[in-house]
């Protein structure tokens, strides 16, 4: 493809025509996709790429590269057409759009080196852009800009307004939103139609600089980008009135064409209207190399952290150990960034904030924005930890789900887990967080029971790729492990054990202490039981569970401060599938103690007991299992019993 | 308690003093709670209760009652103090605040007859209020107003702005937000502090009428409520500048007092400052009885719906059957209301909309608001169904979680489940929805595999209390059940069965068809297998699973189009706990086929196969189980094999 400079309006026009043609070609070849949503934004992207974007397609890791996020991810044909025009992909690859095995998926994903985050769940791109822009302004201190192409339908998502408020609060002049105001959503007109003044009014009320333009007038687009690029302490929203399907007579501003590819004849006609298949290339400017490198870490900012230690038998909340550990790790890891959703004095992330305020971002009560910002920071190879009450991470589940598709490295901490929080009542109790976080692709789920264990697990999380989640407890609990005890992701600790164990109790977090109390009571009754602290809920320690099941003749009690579905109980049972190497060696009798009725307020002890997960209930479950197997066991087993 | 009229400013002042005193008394007695957040709003609530609220405390079911939602649920001491002043609860009950078994939980829950929805997860009250106001304006057509007390910290939640945009879009003049602008969040100042103009600007930009007042000036409060009560087609936000801890010198506008009860001495001093314990009652006005009753349903709007039927062997998407069934049920159920998040032509809820546009609410791309509106509609005893892509219901997980605490009756449908959606890629694929929805208290989770089954299950959902979820499939799938087939919540269908079955295959939805194909292939190979369609994922049909496990010697293959965690596999395994009546009767060999790698784009068949959940993989898993049990089985078993 012959490269030709594209500096004039005429050349931009040619580029825009080609972007349209290629959007149609790829989606028609695929038989699906969103060509009309690509066509409305083609002029905006043509001018951006030809004159304003600073991006080295040969070096996507260049730290000075601008960032371009298609928040309206369904306009992927346009993005891929740009990649072809920029010489990043071949025509052949362009035409592999949406085919099995192609990097050019239906919505952009970072299997492509020039895509940094997955989009396709609307309302996320701007919030992630806030995270990248925070890095640029406050951490990286690099001159890159963050360009986010927004659809107008997604402006209905509350998460977009979280992004608006945080972007202005943090004075992110390096963030530029480009609103492709094409009026039409999937099934008809949006709430505000072409009322660009309404969008501008909302954006201004949220502290943004706004520019309203005709999104097909290349001069206006040019001037808008120039104005947006001027230094200022406010983010800019360019509100570009556009026409869905622009450039093809039978598509323009028509309902019923969302997410629909043209058939071959329609495509032929459309491409003819657009002037035929073209070979225009765009020379995207590389970023200036003059940007200062990131400041070198001060001396001492390397090596192993001096993790906090807690005396055996002391009473310390795991949430406090989380904060203490963050502070310790932060002292040797300049890449550690901490975010919190206005509860840092409850999650104890304020311990980090006190020491490293310049690496702490207050995200206020906006959990979606908090997670999105962490994803954005991880794009810049930082190591974000984000915390709030575990119950409120449910607010950000779609962002967490998408972060997995983004291959983001995201560390989450949820405090105040379970009924054991006590008097505040069920709205503050996380009882579904283990289920939610386990069902995230490639996630790591950790649930410590003491402070030393917590500190070690936080250190492991800092080195762990993918999405990890730490569940902490509100109440102070006894320290049961010495500071030098080692823990691993995928490990467990057997805290009570003998060769004569009759039943295995599997617990995690707060219930470990209940299980130990039950085991000690049962021991006094002459019933030895094994207690496993399954602090690594995902991946779970199958080997230890299998061995314990063999020893205790398949009798297992699992106890957790969580709804009965999808949490520790499910994790333990999964370990007894053939997938986990278990081949039905012996019958299992599994009793699962979990929260099954809606709790109210009360003391932690009252609520643990009312939920049937206290020491008393665990001991009863053990006795019941033994009674039941006494009654049912086969003759050959009876003889073997000690 | 002597009742005395409270019509003058002086009487309002006395009531406000008592609300403050009682907020302190109850929280000090509890040893926890949020008295300072109650004190800032006491004047606002005193005037509201004394002059503007229309509510019959003796008849909370009165359909003309106003609705009062404490979106800032942590101000519960103020709400309970109001209940005492209104004579609804005794002083003794007031002082049971936060105690185990008390109805007066840390945050309001509808175990109290005067509380309609649970709050405590911030940012939800206004969105639920939108739902009640929609009912009042468009369905009930009653004159009630919806008053929502908002905290300023929660204004950072995007869901609040979803509520703002929908309330103005639907011209909800019957919705009045009261913003308690006390400047201080949990750990410091909010993003906007006391900048009431900024809040007013945002609200106006979102189409609201705004009134800015001093929230401790009773005259200003009075005038603001009067103005807000005037008829208009826009919702009103009263922005009341207040002081956190107002009325107690050592609490006023002080950081560090959020969520902290006074100790006994502090309480004594505070109550003294406030003039001591008082006995003021408030006569809340009852609603006018003159409101017209709801229109009687037209003739024919009773009885059983004429559900759609589909011919055996036809190819019909379950999502289409969902829409068809809604339309049929809507014809006999005037209480049926349908909501969708801008994808009604994908979920097929548009089939209902076409027939009953007056009972369909377009919620645009705002899933949190959609679920909240459904909760609000359920407060008015309507029967809402809300649908979007199942993947995007993750956006509303906190609202669904809270809906369970609200004891709401909420029916959700998520379409486009699993990798089987094909080319659109992972952002659109629900792969965690079963885990998410199972881990909701009291939920029902249904996953039909054919159109007739879908129609029956939708009819069952319409009669089902609590939170129910229907998972539908994008692709057209064969109709395998005759129209007259009956289904039950908690049931299953055994679609292949013989006494000689060697392995049980448990499937649901799209994988039922793969399982049938595998079974037919295996039958040709001389391996009879049982196939169970576990369309009721929660509750699951334990009895059938137990019997099948017995017949097939514990050999089970579970196959699902979902991540491996928390979905059908977990549901099946839970059925084999002692809790479910399974007492380790025989060893189980469970192979779990689920999605374990991040999918991309491709055809449904390619993606099902790549995920290892297609017929080919199911048949292989069956053969592997048989080989492995051949190798491992005990001598007595070997002889018994046919």
């Amino acid at each position: 493809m012959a490269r030709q400079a594209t500096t004039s309006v005429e050349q931009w026009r040619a580029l825009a025509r080609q972007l349209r043609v290629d959007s149609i070609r790829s989606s028609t070849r695929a038989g699906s996709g969103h060509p009309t949503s690509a066509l409305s934004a083609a002029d905006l992207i043509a001018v951006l790429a030809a004159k304003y974007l600073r991006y080295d397609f040969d070096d996507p890791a260049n730290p000075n590269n601008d960032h371009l996020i298609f928040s309206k991810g369904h306009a992927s044909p346009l993005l891929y057409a740009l990649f072809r025009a920029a010489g990043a992909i071949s025509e052949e690859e362009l035409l592999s759009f949406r085919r099995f095995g192609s990097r050019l998926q239906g919505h952009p994903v970072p299997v492509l080196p020039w895509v940094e985050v997955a989009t396709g769940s609307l309302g996320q791109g701007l919030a992630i852009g806030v995270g990248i822009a925070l890095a640029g302004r406050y951490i990286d201190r690099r001159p890159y800009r963050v360009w986010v192409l927004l659809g107008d339908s997604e402006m209905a998502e509350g998460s977009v307004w979280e992004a608006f408020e945080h972007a202005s609060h943090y004075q992110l002049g390096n963030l530029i939103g480009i609103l492709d105001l094409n009026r039409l959503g999937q099934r008809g007109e949006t709430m505000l139609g072409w009322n660009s003044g309404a969008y501008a009014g909302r954006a201004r009320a949220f502290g943004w600089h706004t520019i309203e333009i005709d999104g097909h007038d290349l001069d206006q687009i040019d001037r808008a980008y120039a104005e947006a690029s001027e230094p200022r302490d406010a983010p800019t929203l360019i509100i570009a009135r556009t026409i869905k399907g622009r450039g093809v007579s039978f598509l323009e501003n028509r309902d019923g064409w969302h997410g629909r590819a043209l058939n071959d004849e329609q495509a032929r006609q459309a491409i003819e209207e657009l002037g035929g298949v073209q070979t225009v290339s765009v020379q995207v400017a590389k970023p200036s190399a003059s940007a200062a490198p990131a400041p070198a870490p001060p001396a001492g900012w390397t090596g192993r952290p001096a993790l906090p230690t807690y005396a055996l038998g002391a009473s310390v909340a795991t949430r406090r150990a989380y904060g203490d550990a963050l502070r310790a790790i932060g002292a040797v890891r300049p890449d550690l960034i901490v975010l919190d959703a206005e509860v840092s004095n409850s999650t104890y992330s304020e311990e980090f904030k006190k020491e490293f305020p310049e690496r702490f971002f207050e995200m206020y009560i906006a959990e979606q924005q908090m997670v999105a910002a962490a994803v954005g920071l991880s794009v810049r190879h930082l190591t974000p930890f984000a915390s709030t009450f575990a119950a409120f991470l449910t607010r950000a589940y779609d962002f967490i789900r998408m972060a997995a598709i983004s291959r983001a490295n995201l560390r989450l901490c949820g405090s105040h887990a379970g009924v054991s929080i006590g008097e505040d009542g069920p709205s503050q109790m996380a009882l579904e967080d283990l289920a939610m976080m386990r069902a995230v692709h490639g996630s790591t789920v950790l649930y410590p029971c003491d402070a030393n264990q917590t500190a070690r697990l936080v250190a492991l999380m800092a080195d762990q790729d993918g999405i990890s989640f730490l569940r902490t407890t509100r109440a102070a609990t006894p320290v049961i492990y010495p500071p030098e005890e080692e823990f691993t992701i995928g490990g467990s600790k057997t805290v009570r054990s003998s060769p004569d164990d009759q039943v295995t109790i599997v617990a995690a977090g707060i219930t470990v202490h209940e299980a130990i109390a039950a085991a000690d009571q049962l021991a006094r009754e002459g019933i030895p039981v094994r207690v496993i602290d399954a602090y690594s809920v995902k991946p779970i320690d199958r080997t230890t569970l299998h061995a314990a099941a063999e020893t205790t003749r398949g009798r297992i009690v699992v106890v957790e401060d969580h709804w009965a579905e999808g949490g520790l109980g499910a994790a333990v049972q999964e370990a007894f599938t053939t997938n986990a190497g278990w081949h039905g060696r012996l019958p299992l009798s599994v009793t699962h103690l979990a929260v099954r009725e809606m709790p109210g307020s009360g003391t932690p002890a009252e609520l643990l007991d009312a939920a049937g997960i206290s020491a008393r209930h665990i001991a009863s479950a053990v006795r019941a299992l033994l009674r039941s197997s006494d009654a049912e066991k086969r003759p050959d087993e009876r003889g073997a019993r000690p």
Side-chain angles (χ1 to χ4, degrees), chain A:
Chain A
M1 178 163 25
R3 289 192 172 257
Q4 52 190 76
T6 45
T7 48
S8 75
V9 169
E10 207 29 67
Q11 285 165 324
W12 300 342
R13 204 176 313 280
L15 174 60
R17 271 197 304 265
Q18 169 168 302
L19 295 178
R20 290 189 163 96
V21 167
D22 280 358
S23 296
I24 291 169
R25 290 168 74 206
S26 65
S27 52
T28 290
R29 178 72 69 94
S32 65
H34 300 75
T36 57
S37 303
L39 266 52
S40 61
D43 299 310
L44 294 163
I45 293 302
V47 179
L48 180 69
K51 185 165 171 188
Y52 292 93
L53 190 67
R54 303 275 174 276
Y55 190 88
D56 186 347
F57 275 92
D58 297 324
D59 181 16
N62 185 325
N64 293 323
N65 276 342
D66 277 359
H67 300 267
L68 172 60
I69 300 175
F70 268 45
S71 186
K72 50 176 290 188
H74 54 289
S76 55
L78 177 61
L79 184 66
Y80 303 151
L82 169 64
F83 290 170
R84 181 197 162 225
I89 63 170
S90 67
E91 182 169 19
E92 186 188 352
E93 184 164 15
L94 178 79
L95 297 177
S96 74
F97 180 47
R98 287 176 162 248
R99 284 220 299 274
F100 184 71
S102 170
R103 299 189 295 179
L104 275 50
Q105 297 186 12
H107 294 76
V109 288
V111 296
L112 285 160
W114 319 285
V115 172
E116 297 183 310
V117 292
T119 51
S121 177
L122 290 167
Q124 301 208 4
L126 192 67
I128 294 171
V130 165
I132 302 175
L134 282 172
R137 182 173 169 123
Y138 297 102
I139 309 291
D140 278 349
R141 296 172 188 266
R142 290 179 183 277
Y144 55 72
R145 289 164 301 189
V146 184
W147 307 89
V148 180
L149 180 68
L150 291 152
D152 49 352
S153 281
E154 67 178 314
M155 299 293 280
E157 285 286 12
S159 55
V160 172
W161 298 100
E162 294 181 15
F164 269 85
E165 71 198 2
H166 284 79
S168 65
H169 179 75
Y170 281 108
Q171 305 184 310
L172 301 179
N174 51 353
L175 178 65
I176 301 159
I178 307 163
L179 176 55
D180 177 14
L181 189 65
N182 69 21
R183 189 185 73 84
L184 288 173
Q186 167 171 329
R187 46 83 263 151
E189 190 168 57
T190 62
M191 236 185 283
L192 293 173
W194 266 326
N195 186 348
S196 67
Y199 288 104
R202 292 179 185 188
R204 277 196 302 273
F206 276 73
W208 283 49
H209 179 67
T210 62
I211 307 169
E212 291 176 67
I213 60 168
D214 173 345
H216 303 305
D217 181 319
L218 301 180
D219 280 325
Q220 288 189 33
I221 296 171
D222 182 26
R223 285 198 299 272
Y225 288 143
E227 182 179 334
S229 301
E230 288 163 13
R232 64 172 59 77
D233 280 339
T236 296
L237 181 69
I238 298 169
I239 300 145
R241 193 176 185 278
T242 60
I243 293 170
K244 199 160 176 173
R246 169 73 169 198
V248 178
S249 56
F250 57 92
L251 298 178
E252 284 194 356
N253 198 26
R254 296 280 172 87
D255 232 334
W257 268 104
H258 182 94
R260 206 174 133 196
L262 284 65
N263 65 27
D264 287 338
E265 172 52 27
Q266 290 164 334
R268 193 198 54 72
Q269 192 181 332
I271 292 167
E272 189 177 297
E273 270 194 46
L274 289 162
V277 174
Q278 293 142 55
T279 308
V280 179
S281 73
V282 60
Q283 201 82 47
V284 173
K286 292 188 197 318
S288 156
S290 67
W301 274 22
T302 51
R304 289 167 59 97
L307 288 177
T309 60
Y310 307 91
L312 274 172
S315 199
V316 184
T318 55
R319 59 183 171 132
R320 173 176 280 282
Y322 170 72
D324 293 345
L326 283 184
R327 197 186 51 226
I329 302 164
V332 296
R333 288 277 302 260
D335 56 317
L336 203 72
I337 312 288
V338 175
L339 306 96
D340 199 282
E342 225 273 318
V343 289
S344 58
N345 53 343
S346 288
T347 61
Y348 280 98
S349 67
E350 68 173 10
E351 295 303 312
F352 180 93
K353 177 187 180 180
K354 287 177 197 162
E355 193 86 10
F356 308 108
E358 73 287 356
R359 286 189 278 139
F360 178 91
F361 292 107
E362 178 57 68
M363 302 313 286
Y364 301 93
I365 306 188
E367 296 79 9
Q368 297 183 94
Q369 176 58 77
M370 178 176 73
V371 170
V375 171
L377 291 162
S378 107
V379 163
R380 291 298 307 123
H381 309 294
L382 296 162
T383 303
F385 278 78
S387 49
T388 183
F389 285 24
F392 305 142
L393 284 174
T394 54
R395 189 69 71 108
Y397 196 26
D398 194 26
F399 282 76
I400 298 167
R401 174 183 83 86
M402 289 295 297
I405 304 175
S406 288
R407 283 74 173 162
N409 295 316
L410 182 62
R411 290 128 187 116
L412 301 173
C413 172
S415 68
H416 292 64
V419 302
S420 71
I421 68 162
E423 289 80 359
D424 269 337
S427 64
Q428 319 292 301
M429 296 171 178
L431 288 165
E432 57 293 294
D433 55 321
L434 295 177
M436 170 176 94
M437 291 306 306
R438 288 200 328 115
V440 169
H441 182 246
S443 65
T444 301
V445 178
L446 305 171
Y447 183 17
C449 71
D450 96 340
N452 286 319
Q453 188 182 43
T454 304
R456 295 289 186 138
L457 294 179
V458 174
L460 292 174
M461 283 171 81
D463 291 328
Q464 179 73 358
D465 277 347
I467 296 174
S468 53
F469 170 62
L470 183 83
R471 186 186 215 221
T472 62
T473 297
R474 177 173 180 272
T477 46
V479 175
I480 64 169
Y481 297 111
E484 63 276 12
E485 188 90 16
E486 300 272 0
F487 302 91
T488 57
I489 289 173
S492 69
K493 288 287 168 187
T494 302
V495 294
R496 289 289 186 277
S497 173
S498 81
D500 299 332
D501 288 339
Q502 299 295 304
V503 175
T504 300
I505 305 172
V506 187
I510 189 88
T511 60
V512 169
H513 305 287
E514 300 296 326
I516 289 173
D520 292 348
Q521 170 60 32
L522 290 162
R524 286 191 289 274
E525 298 171 19
I527 305 171
V529 297
R530 183 160 300 188
V531 177
I532 296 174
D533 169 9
Y535 62 83
S536 179
V537 177
K538 180 184 174 189
I540 199 151
D541 183 353
R542 300 161 173 181
T543 311
T544 298
L545 290 173
H546 292 180
E550 303 271 7
T551 301
T552 62
R553 298 163 188 278
R555 290 185 289 258
I556 299 173
V557 173
V558 187
V559 54
E560 62 182 317
D561 192 358
H562 187 276
W563 295 129
E565 297 84 10
L568 180 64
V572 169
Q573 285 204 287
E574 278 169 26
F576 293 97
T577 57
T578 67
N579 312 68
W582 180 260
H583 288 281
R585 295 174 208 152
L586 80 169
L588 298 179
S589 287
V590 178
T591 296
H592 184 201
L593 305 182
V595 183
R596 293 174 192 272
E597 297 302 328
M598 184 60 73
S601 290
T603 67
E606 284 168 339
L607 293 174
L608 286 168
D609 198 60
I613 57 174
S614 62
R616 176 172 79 88
H617 292 284
I618 299 169
S620 295
V622 165
R623 292 186 206 103
L625 268 187
L626 289 171
R627 273 197 308 276
S628 138
S629 59
D630 263 351
E632 292 198 8
K633 74 180 171 231
R634 282 163 294 199
D636 63 323
E637 264 196 322
R638 203 164 288 163
R641 184 105 176 280

